[in-house]
Amino acid sequence: MTEPAPASPAPIEALKDDVPQAPPRSQWRDVWDQFTKHKGAMFGGGFLLFITLAVLIGPFIWTVDPQDIDIRNKDMRPIYTAIWNSDADVSWAKPLGSDQLGRDNLAQMIAGGQASMAVGWAAMILSLVIGAGIGVIAGFFKKLDGPLMRLTDLFLSLPILPLLLVAVTLFRQPLRANFGPEGGMFILIVTVIAITSWMPTARIVRGDVLAIKEREFVLAARSIGTRPGKIIRRHLLPNVLSPIMVSAALGLATAIITESSLSFLGVGFPSDFPTWGKMLADAVQRMEHFPERVMLPGIAISLTVLSVNYLGDGLRDALDPRIRGR
Amino acid sequence: MLTYATRRLILSIPTLLFISFVIFMLLQLAPGDPMAQVPLTVPPEVKQKMREALGLGEPPLVQYWKWLVQVLWLEPQVMIDWLTNDTFLFGWLPDTNLYNGELRVISWQTRSPVMDIILQRIPQTLMVVGIAYIVAILIALPIGIYSAYRQYSVFDQAGTFVTMIGFSIPPFFTGPLLIVIFSVQMGWLPSIYDTTHVVNDWESFKVQLQQMIMPVMVLALQITAQLSRYMRASMLDNLNQDYVRTARAKGLSEKIVVLVHVLRNSMIPVVTVIALGLPAIFGGAIITENVFKVNGIGQLLITALFANDLPMVMTLTFIFAVLIVLFNLIADVLYGLLDPRIRYD
């Protein structure tokens, strides 16, 4: 060392910062920052928001009744076909064309989207409630762990799609009689999807609860006499929130696809009640002449599910503290 | 390991019995009547006799017991007889005559034994779904390996995007989409799978190949998406392990490190995932078979369901359940065999 040492005592200087250098950050702020870094998740969230708003607000802007049969204007092509085919039967009154009964495709897409999204959300929430409930109970109460997990294994070894079909065909009549054709089908499809899709959530939640249950803060809560119900609500549920949210996103995607598959196979909603899967199934017969009637609902389903999947991917990254730090 | 496998095998018997019981009781609630198609001129008492001839007069528990005996005791006998009498594989064995004409499970649609129809349909399903599975494995594994090795590269990003698409686009959309493009616009491939087509020379083989491309690709896209994700995740877990650094430090070539050391360890979970997916091959792909009009098992199930053919639905669902339970067991045992760190006992 040839240079003279600096005059001011450096080590003591370093110890002097009694004010925090950065303002404190909350956990959810961190999660949000990580989430916005994931481009796919931002796109997915944005598109999901767009679709949801479109099917909610759409009927007020495009006020055509989707059931309105306008047989004189049947089999119209979408407006964009005029670009390459000037003879095509198009009209601004029906921007996406009309079907073989002259029903407006745009209005049907909006109504179908409403049905698909409603079924998706309802089935996802119901399956989360069942899955998280069973998972928490199995993880927290040692006595119930064995039976509940055997039950989960049993459900996992059921052939899902055949059983879905069986259940829908069996219970269609009584539920329709009680709740009307649309209401009965809605209840039936939502319940059936939820009952057959809660198992992964239950397993993940149980695993996490088993680990968290042994931590000190739960012991502390128990030692001051907190009741099990309160421990579950105050200490366990907030800590298993992130796996639940991730499986919520995946569950929404599965529910939308399952509903569309059922409609496609012809066991879904009644024929005059449009959903995306139903529109696609009806259009397959005539897709040589009117390919757009297959494409539009198909693209709508695929993009919605794709965006939900990306959203789930982003959520998983954002909620995982090991990835978030980087 | 043997005791574990035996225990699981024994435990799976009550599980399967319970599942079959639940499905049977569920089907008892079905509103349909097998005599619905019989002309109205047939008097009701004759119809009642026909119903009883189908075994419908008995209480549900007796029906369930009879079904159980037919499926688990009589059908294996028929199967063994057929194997030793008519097949090439076991034809050299002495002919057995275990089955002597008891009533088998009869389909309400065709009034012929359910198992015979299922055996007719299985080759079609195996052909399409089985080949799709093999194609998917052959595509998925290299994609998974390479995208893990070059994590966050352009290839990896593109692979992630393609798998996301494979997850998100349902088969009832990719099917019609491919039909519109390749059958309607281009006219290259037939849109309907002809199961009566016989392959006996090069020309007919080409036709068979052409009609198989689309259904196989639709199915393979889905399976590839899933498998390549697993492969990538499993490779990523292993690439950062200490033994990989050791192997590199020893001076092994990168090819050997990745394709021998890392790949062998990463295959353990992937092999079990592949085993778990195998029941789907026999279960058939209900939607894809429906789109391309392949008359396999999945199509059989859905037509039986619409025609209210309860014995057929019951037997098919039970076979699916058996396969799922069996392959779950195989996957668990395989995991234990392949990974010496896993000890079940």
Side-chain angles (χ1 to χ4, degrees):
Chain A
M1 279 264 196
T2 52
E3 281 178 42
S8 59
I12 296 171
E13 196 68 32
L15 287 175
K16 265 175 71 179
D17 50 354
D18 47 351
V19 185
Q21 299 196 324
R25 298 170 59 82
S26 77
Q27 183 200 359
W28 292 106
R29 183 69 195 270
D30 278 354
V31 169
W32 175 248
D33 282 355
Q34 174 70 33
F35 184 73
T36 48
K37 270 188 206 150
H38 195 299
K39 282 202 192 75
M42 287 306 283
F43 155 78
F47 187 79
L48 189 64
L49 202 65
F50 166 73
I51 281 275
T52 314
L53 286 180
V55 298
L56 286 181
I57 304 176
F60 298 103
I61 298 169
W62 188 254
T63 48
V64 179
D65 178 12
Q67 298 306 332
D68 185 24
I69 294 176
D70 180 9
I71 203 77
R72 283 176 200 287
N73 291 320
K74 66 170 184 171
D75 288 339
M76 303 263 271
R77 303 301 300 274
I79 197 79
Y80 55 79
T81 14
I83 299 171
W84 65 84
N85 180 3
S86 50
D87 303 332
D89 188 10
V90 296
S91 150
W92 280 108
K94 297 198 187 306
L96 292 183
S98 57
D99 67 1
Q100 68 274 19
L101 293 174
R103 291 177 295 195
D104 185 62
N105 275 350
L106 179 58
Q108 279 199 307
M109 283 290 287
I110 294 171
Q114 263 179 0
S116 293
M117 296 298 269
V119 168
W121 279 98
M124 179 268 277
I125 290 172
L126 190 58
S127 112
L128 271 193
V129 170
I130 301 176
I134 288 191
V136 167
I137 292 172
F140 193 76
F141 301 103
K142 209 173 251 166
K143 261 186 209 155
L144 294 171
D145 189 17
L148 282 179
M149 280 301 109
R150 288 298 81 72
L151 184 74
T152 314
D153 289 346
L154 199 74
F155 266 85
L156 276 172
S157 54
L158 289 175
I160 295 298
L161 194 56
L163 265 197
L164 272 175
L165 293 169
V166 170
V168 172
T169 33
L170 293 191
F171 299 114
R172 192 157 32 178
Q173 293 305 333
L175 275 169
R176 271 193 187 175
N178 286 336
F179 299 97
E182 282 109 35
M185 248 2 242
F186 182 82
I187 296 175
L188 177 59
I189 291 186
V190 165
T191 330
V192 158
I193 294 179
I195 287 179
T196 50
S197 65
W198 56 268
M199 295 80 75
T201 319
R203 280 194 159 179
I204 298 169
V205 168
R206 169 185 170 262
D208 278 18
V209 166
L210 277 181
I212 293 169
K213 199 175 68 169
E214 303 302 324
R215 301 263 288 270
E216 283 80 1
F217 66 91
V218 178
L219 184 67
R222 201 185 301 238
S223 64
I224 58 170
T226 319
R227 300 200 176 282
K230 190 104 182 177
I231 294 183
I232 288 174
R233 262 177 286 129
R234 285 294 298 275
H235 300 286
L236 292 182
L237 275 184
N239 277 304
V240 293
L241 199 62
S242 48
I244 291 183
M245 276 169 76
V246 173
S247 47
L250 299 179
L252 180 59
T254 333
I256 291 176
I257 288 210
T258 315
E259 185 273 321
S260 311
S261 318
L262 289 179
S263 298
F264 182 80
L265 292 173
V267 292
F269 283 97
S271 52
D272 54 347
F273 187 77
T275 73
W276 286 338
K278 185 100 211 130
M279 291 174 69
L280 206 162
D282 291 346
V284 164
Q285 309 294 333
R286 289 146 66 83
M287 65 186 165
E288 288 178 39
H289 303 291
F290 305 100
E292 70 274 1
R293 285 188 212 154
V294 174
M295 302 295 288
L296 290 173
I299 290 175
I301 296 171
S302 308
L303 276 183
T304 311
V305 175
L306 186 67
S307 65
V308 174
N309 275 337
Y310 262 116
L311 188 70
D313 217 31
L315 271 181
R316 182 172 17 216
D317 284 1
L319 292 169
D320 189 341
R322 281 168 301 177
I323 295 178
R324 198 164 63 224
R326 281 190 283 180
Chain B
M1 182 51 70
L2 195 65
T3 49
Y4 171 76
T6 327
R7 204 179 69 221
R8 281 286 304 268
L9 208 59
I10 292 169
L11 263 178
S12 67
I13 293 170
T15 313
L16 282 173
L17 284 180
F18 184 73
I19 290 178
S20 70
F21 184 73
V22 168
I23 300 174
F24 193 88
M25 288 303 148
L26 202 68
L27 288 177
Q28 288 297 313
L29 302 170
D33 178 11
M35 292 300 124
Q37 299 290 324
V38 172
L40 287 172
T41 47
V42 175
E45 58 268 19
V46 177
K47 273 193 184 175
Q48 188 54 37
K49 279 199 175 137
M50 287 163 82
R51 265 187 217 114
E52 278 164 19
L54 286 172
L56 278 176
E58 310 275 357
L61 278 178
V62 177
Q63 285 187 40
Y64 174 65
W65 173 249
K66 288 194 165 170
W67 175 85
L68 216 55
V69 169
Q70 283 171 340
V71 166
L72 297 180
W73 182 242
L74 294 177
E75 292 298 341
Q77 292 179 356
V78 177
M79 188 78 186
I80 292 170
D81 282 356
W82 175 72
L83 281 176
T84 52
N85 294 342
D86 300 327
T87 53
F88 175 72
L89 199 60
F90 296 100
W92 50 273
L93 284 168
D95 287 4
T96 50
N97 264 318
L98 296 171
Y99 172 71
N100 17 349
E102 292 97 338
L103 198 61
R104 298 168 66 189
V105 188
I106 299 292
S107 156
W108 289 352
Q109 283 177 100
T110 61
R111 308 284 147 91
S112 61
V114 164
M115 280 295 176
D116 291 358
I117 306 175
I118 295 176
L119 277 182
Q120 284 170 7
R121 299 298 187 93
I122 275 186
Q124 278 87 284
T125 292
L126 275 188
M127 191 83 170
V128 174
V129 192
I131 290 183
Y133 212 71
I134 295 171
V135 169
I137 292 172
L138 290 181
I139 300 176
L141 296 192
I143 291 183
I145 294 168
Y146 194 74
S147 50
Y149 187 63
R150 295 246 178 275
Q151 199 189 2
Y152 302 128
S153 67
V154 179
F155 184 86
D156 185 26
Q157 305 279 358
T160 309
F161 185 67
V162 171
T163 44
M164 273 295 188
I165 286 186
F167 270 129
S168 309
I169 304 191
F172 53 82
F173 181 44
T174 37
L177 194 67
L178 288 186
I179 291 181
V180 166
I181 296 173
F182 292 106
S183 302
V184 179
Q185 306 285 337
M186 311 272 193
W188 291 348
L189 304 169
S191 70
I192 288 176
Y193 186 93
D194 178 11
T195 39
T196 57
H197 180 73
V198 182
V199 181
N200 46 18
D201 56 356
W202 181 246
E203 279 305 306
S204 59
F205 177 73
K206 270 206 310 206
V207 173
Q208 173 71 14
L209 209 61
Q210 278 181 345
Q211 68 177 357
M212 279 183 65
I213 289 177
M214 286 200 294
V216 164
M217 278 304 152
V218 166
L219 281 169
L221 177 68
Q222 310 242 305
I223 308 167
T224 307
Q226 219 176 3
L227 275 183
S228 69
R229 283 282 87 180
Y230 274 109
M231 191 70 228
R232 177 176 178 273
S234 162
M235 284 288 284
L236 282 179
D237 277 350
N238 275 297
L239 274 170
N240 293 326
Q241 300 267 328
D242 290 341
Y243 73 86
V244 181
R245 200 185 317 132
T246 314
R248 285 197 177 120
K250 281 197 301 188
L252 291 179
S253 73
E254 198 63 16
K255 197 172 143 194
I256 291 182
V257 171
V258 175
L259 289 185
V260 176
H261 290 228
V262 181
L263 182 61
R264 280 184 61 161
N265 283 301
S266 315
M267 280 304 283
I268 296 170
V270 178
V271 165
T272 60
V273 170
I274 291 176
L276 283 179
L278 281 176
I281 295 185
F282 297 93
I286 294 179
I287 291 169
T288 314
E289 285 182 5
N290 215 33
V291 169
F292 292 100
K293 313 279 186 286
V294 184
N295 62 345
I297 297 276
Q299 200 257 356
L300 181 65
L301 177 76
I302 196 147
T303 42
L305 211 55
F306 288 149
N308 236 311
D309 185 358
L310 297 189
M312 178 77 85
V313 174
M314 178 69 212
T315 315
L316 275 177
T317 354
F318 180 67
I319 292 178
F320 294 158
V322 171
L323 287 172
I324 293 177
V325 170
L326 192 69
F327 279 97
N328 269 327
L329 171 69
I330 291 178
D332 281 357
V333 172
L334 260 185
Y335 202 66
L337 283 178
L338 292 175
D339 191 343
R341 287 169 297 184
I342 306 273
R343 283 277 165 266
Y344 288 124
D345 308 310

